[in-house]
Amino acid sequence: MKRIEEKVSNEINHSISIIINWIKVILKSKQEKEDFNSLCVAQSSTRACNEVCAFLTNSVIDTFKGPVDGDNLQHVMMELGVRFHGALLDHLLQYQYSIVGALQLIQDLHRYKQTVQHFKEPFVDEIFEGLSKLTQLLIVEPHKLRDIWDEGSLARIEHGFLVQFVKLRVDYRKSNIQSKLPSYSAHVKQ
């Protein structure tokens, strides 16, 4: 019986890997650099976001809900959600964001959050909400960065990563944002 469970577990893990790899392909091939660095916000989510969400909604979620149920389904959806979050975050770290581009990102993240709510996994909802909070660092006025740096879920994120994320702003150098960020030592003391 244990061997059967291991085989099923390996197959599910392999399936999740294939799904995540396909999501990466969609993101890489459909996301335009201008999506997050344009001068105007689109009326809807980006093409990459729409295609990823359609793939998850139309092809993936129901596929697992048929043969997997109960606690097993919960574990599968958690693993899928966490790995999707990681792939999406890695993808988003490749871009520079204007204020308008960050607003576009917020629109995309709203759509992603709506999609992962179908996973019915609270932890996945929480980490996608954290990603939305992180995006605040891209839109807030530079002199207000200190005000939100240590708020809520952002306070739990490692200081170095927050700095890395803020550096994605197109105005990072021009606005001398580095001088407006809390120092690492001040962050550690709190």
Side-chain angles (χ1 to χ4, degrees), residues 17-34:
S17 294
I18 290 170
I19 291 164
I20 297 302
N21 286 335
W22 186 245
I23 288 171
K24 289 177 182 179
V25 167
I26 294 170
L27 290 170
K28 186 174 178 131
S29 64
K30 304 299 181 186
Q31 195 81 67
E32 302 288 334
K33 278 196 175 224
E34 300 79 38

Side-chain angles (χ1 to χ4, degrees), residues 148-158 162 187:
I148 67 164
W149 193 266
D150 290 319
E151 287 183 0
S153 58
L154 291 180
R156 296 186 302 241
I157 298 174
E158 193 243 322
L162 292 175
H187 189 72

Side-chain angles (χ1 to χ4, degrees), residues 8-174:
V8 169
S9 178
N10 288 340
E11 287 302 316
I12 289 173
N13 188 45
H14 182 70
S15 297
I16 292 172
S17 294
I18 290 170
I19 291 164
I20 297 302
N21 286 335
W22 186 245
I23 288 171
K24 289 177 182 179
V25 167
I26 294 170
L27 290 170
K28 186 174 178 131
S29 64
K30 304 299 181 186
Q31 195 81 67
E32 302 288 334
K33 278 196 175 224
E34 300 79 38
D35 287 345
F36 303 124
N37 203 2
S38 69
L39 298 175
C40 60
V41 178
Q43 295 298 316
S44 65
S45 304
T46 63
R47 181 176 175 197
C49 174
N50 288 334
E51 291 197 22
V52 166
C53 291
F55 171 64
L56 285 170
T57 303
N58 299 331
S59 302
V60 174
I61 296 170
D62 289 337
T63 299
F64 284 120
K65 286 185 178 178
V68 183
D69 61 2
D71 287 344
N72 291 332
L73 179 60
Q74 185 178 3
H75 293 303
V76 168
M77 298 316 278
M78 167 109 76
E79 181 68 18
L80 177 60
V82 168
R83 288 171 65 181
F84 171 42
H85 176 270
L88 182 61
L89 182 58
D90 288 345
H91 172 74
L92 297 175
L93 290 173
Q94 298 175 36
Y95 294 89
Q96 292 283 302
Y97 297 87
S98 65
I99 297 293
V100 173
L103 293 172
Q104 181 65 59
L105 176 59
I106 288 170
Q107 198 165 321
D108 279 7
L109 288 173
H110 179 73
R111 176 89 194 276
Y112 288 128
K113 285 179 1 185
Q114 286 178 323
T115 300
V116 299
Q117 284 176 346
H118 295 287
F119 291 18
K120 298 189 184 320
E121 181 50 50
F123 180 73
V124 173
D125 294 340
E126 183 180 323
I127 60 176
F128 272 85
E129 182 61 32
L131 192 51
S132 292
K133 299 284 187 204
L134 191 60
T135 306
Q136 292 177 7
L137 296 172
L138 300 175
I139 60 169
V140 70
E141 295 175 44
H143 69 278
K144 293 184 179 180
L145 277 166
R146 284 182 186 258
D147 297 338
I148 67 164
W149 193 266
D150 290 319
E151 287 183 0
S153 58
L154 291 180
R156 296 186 302 241
I157 298 174
E158 193 243 322
H159 179 83
F161 181 77
L162 292 175
V163 171
Q164 178 188 2
F165 202 79
V166 170
K167 286 181 177 181
L168 299 175
R169 293 173 63 131
V170 295
D171 65 344
Y172 180 77
R173 290 186 194 264
K174 184 174 78 175

